[in-house]
Amino acid sequence: MLHVAVVGSGPSGCYTAQSLVQQDPAVRVDVLDRLPCPYGLVRYGVAPDHEKIKSLQNNLRTVLEHERVRFLGGVQIGPGGIPAARLRTLYHAVVYCVGAATDRHLGIPGEDLPGSWSATQFVSWYSAHPDAIDDGFVREARSAVVIGVGNVAVDVARMLARAPADLSPTDMPQAALTALGASRVTEIAMVGRRGPSQARFTTKELRELGSLPDTDVTVDPAEAALDPAWADPSALPGAQRRNVEVLRGWSATAATDAARRISVRFFLRPVELLAEEGRVGAVRFERTLPDGRGGVTGSGEFEVIPAQLVLRSVGYRGVPLEGLPFDPATGTVPNLAGRVLRDGVVTPGEYVAGWIKRGPTGVIGTNRPCAKETVTSLIEDAALLVGKEVPEDPLTALRAEGVEPVEWEGWQAIENAEAALGASLGRRVVKLADWQALLDASRGGAPRG
């Protein structure tokens, strides 16, 4: 019987486990995660007001409740935890589904000023990730700049403009809800270095900005017109055409006396974050122009946009994993159809799936065929892999070494505690936001915010 460890319980990890039990009627799968909670970015990356996308947790739950799948949360692989080499001795195969764990940087002066954050840090805070820093994101801010024009940028701009009454029914942690409710941010600029036809958001996400109560969304038609496709988007692919049509509608809308304004800006490249009283006070941008080859070039003209909060949303990047090869150019583990490559040679028993395999591209559903390809490779190798002697139950060996995972019953206890916390606050489910609260809840302790 093949025994496989899947490291990571987000979509790529769950789809890998699902494909394994579908393709092999005898395989047993342990899904290990550093966090005591499953679902990865579906729990900690999807905006709290996107309940339809968050409902994907129900599909992932079905995978983790399969009789031949076991969830083991709170298990660190690598430094400070189980060495990768040790993990490989406990299982016939290990599949790493660890995503892209860090953000890309702008590489400009002032990027590290107080008040300048990656969008992921902001998302982690309002999503109750236990590693999140609560450092008063919006406390001193009246205006915000979001650098980037993808779906994450749209999410954070929308969260900044949402009224507390709209967020109270969500599972947002109480501290974040209180802080956003007290926010004085009224001006939000979402800025891209290229044009409307090259923006990376989906039209559905984009349209949501226009439905926010008491919020104007503006687009400067003269600025957007630098994009050759602005005047006539009919030749664009469907998604880009629909984006431009939505933006064109906003460019023709008169401003109102709404409480908040979101300005969608284009052809501006950040060159410096400017300090004011020891923290970020503005962003200096250079106007860019299309270069005729799909990129942009600098114009030598500059504009300063005030902002006491800057959120950088310019992409993700994988990080090296202990004991595995790593390609710094792509931020991925070298692989052949999911099989890990060392110096171009396949390493038996080691596999990757998801963003650490292919880079941070695609949507949640993209992980399904990606996982299936990796699992197909693993099953093809099964006759060789199953010959390795491994413990009958790896969990017994882990416990003997002092590892005490949060199993499925512990996760269910966390869910119950979050439901109880929500009820005590007059809300629905409210997420627990720190490590100790999660671990206490997993052991049956009383919930606390």
Side-chain angles (χ1 to χ4, degrees), residues 149-170:
V149 283
N151 280 347
V152 175
V154 172
D155 278 350
V156 299
R158 192 178 68 255
M159 287 299 104
L160 287 169
R162 275 280 193 207
D166 298 330
L167 294 172
S168 183
T170 74

Side-chain angles (χ1 to χ4, degrees), residues 6 11 52 82 189 191 196 220 230 250 321 343 368 381 415:
V6 173
K52 185 175 181 180
I82 304 165
V191 187
D220 182 344
W230 178 255
W250 289 338
L321 305 174
D343 298 322
R368 193 185 293 272
D381 300 342
E415 288 187 301

Side-chain angles (χ1 to χ4, degrees), residues 149-374:
V149 283
N151 280 347
V152 175
V154 172
D155 278 350
V156 299
R158 192 178 68 255
M159 287 299 104
L160 287 169
R162 275 280 193 207
D166 298 330
L167 294 172
S168 183
T170 74
D171 62 6
M172 180 179 284
Q174 188 66 29
L177 179 66
T178 301
L180 288 172
S183 168
R184 294 181 297 154
V185 173
T186 57
E187 292 283 339
I188 304 157
M190 186 170 67
V191 187
R193 64 186 177 88
R194 297 192 291 179
S197 67
Q198 295 167 309
R200 304 295 289 273
F201 33 63
T202 57
T203 310
K204 181 178 182 297
E205 291 257 0
L206 182 63
R207 285 188 177 125
E208 288 180 345
L209 292 181
S211 65
L212 293 172
D214 206 17
T215 302
D216 278 344
V217 183
T218 67
V219 175
D220 182 344
E223 181 175 78
L226 294 171
D227 189 329
W230 178 255
D232 181 9
S234 60
L236 292 171
Q240 288 97 311
R241 184 185 72 251
R242 290 188 291 272
N243 284 343
V244 172
E245 288 169 351
V246 171
L247 293 163
R248 279 165 54 94
W250 289 338
S251 74
T253 302
T256 70
D257 59 354
R260 291 168 295 275
R261 181 175 65 173
I262 300 173
S263 306
V264 189
R265 305 291 306 274
F266 296 102
F267 293 110
L268 291 171
R269 177 168 59 199
V271 294
E272 184 179 6
L273 271 60
L274 304 175
E276 182 179 301
E277 297 182 357
R279 57 178 290 119
V280 67
V283 186
R284 187 169 183 253
F285 291 92
E286 182 181 18
R287 167 69 62 199
T288 61
L289 298 168
D291 64 5
R293 301 184 299 276
V296 292
T297 184
S299 69
E301 298 179 5
F302 297 89
E303 178 179 346
V304 173
I305 300 179
Q308 299 78 43
L309 172 65
V310 176
L311 299 172
R312 313 178 307 273
S313 181
V314 291
Y316 300 94
R317 181 173 177 78
V319 297
L321 305 174
E322 181 203 53
L324 286 180
F326 186 73
D327 181 352
T330 61
T332 61
V333 171
N335 70 92
L336 177 65
R339 296 179 176 96
V340 171
L341 295 173
R342 295 179 186 275
D343 298 322
V345 179
V346 168
T347 304
E350 293 181 302
Y351 303 86
V352 286
W355 280 0
I356 199 64
K357 170 188 174 184
R358 68 181 192 274
T361 61
V363 294
I364 289 174
T366 311
N367 290 294
R368 193 185 293 272
C370 173
K372 185 175 181 180
E373 179 189 57
T374 295

Side-chain angles (χ1 to χ4, degrees), residues 39-60:
Y39 311 136
L41 282 179
V42 176
R43 177 174 167 90
Y44 290 119
V46 174
D49 60 341
H50 274 176
E51 293 192 8
K52 185 175 181 180
I53 302 175
K54 289 174 74 67
S55 70
L56 283 171
Q57 291 185 14
N58 296 327
N59 298 340
L60 304 184

Side-chain angles (χ1 to χ4, degrees), residues 116-127:
S116 168
W117 303 91
S118 74
T120 303
Q121 290 171 305
F122 187 60
V123 171
S124 293
W125 169 66
Y126 68 60
S127 298

Side-chain angles (χ1 to χ4, degrees), residues 5-24:
V6 173
V7 180
S9 66
S12 63
C14 287
Y15 291 146
T16 296
Q18 181 181 53
S19 191
L20 279 164
V21 296
Q22 288 174 342
Q23 294 193 44
D24 185 332

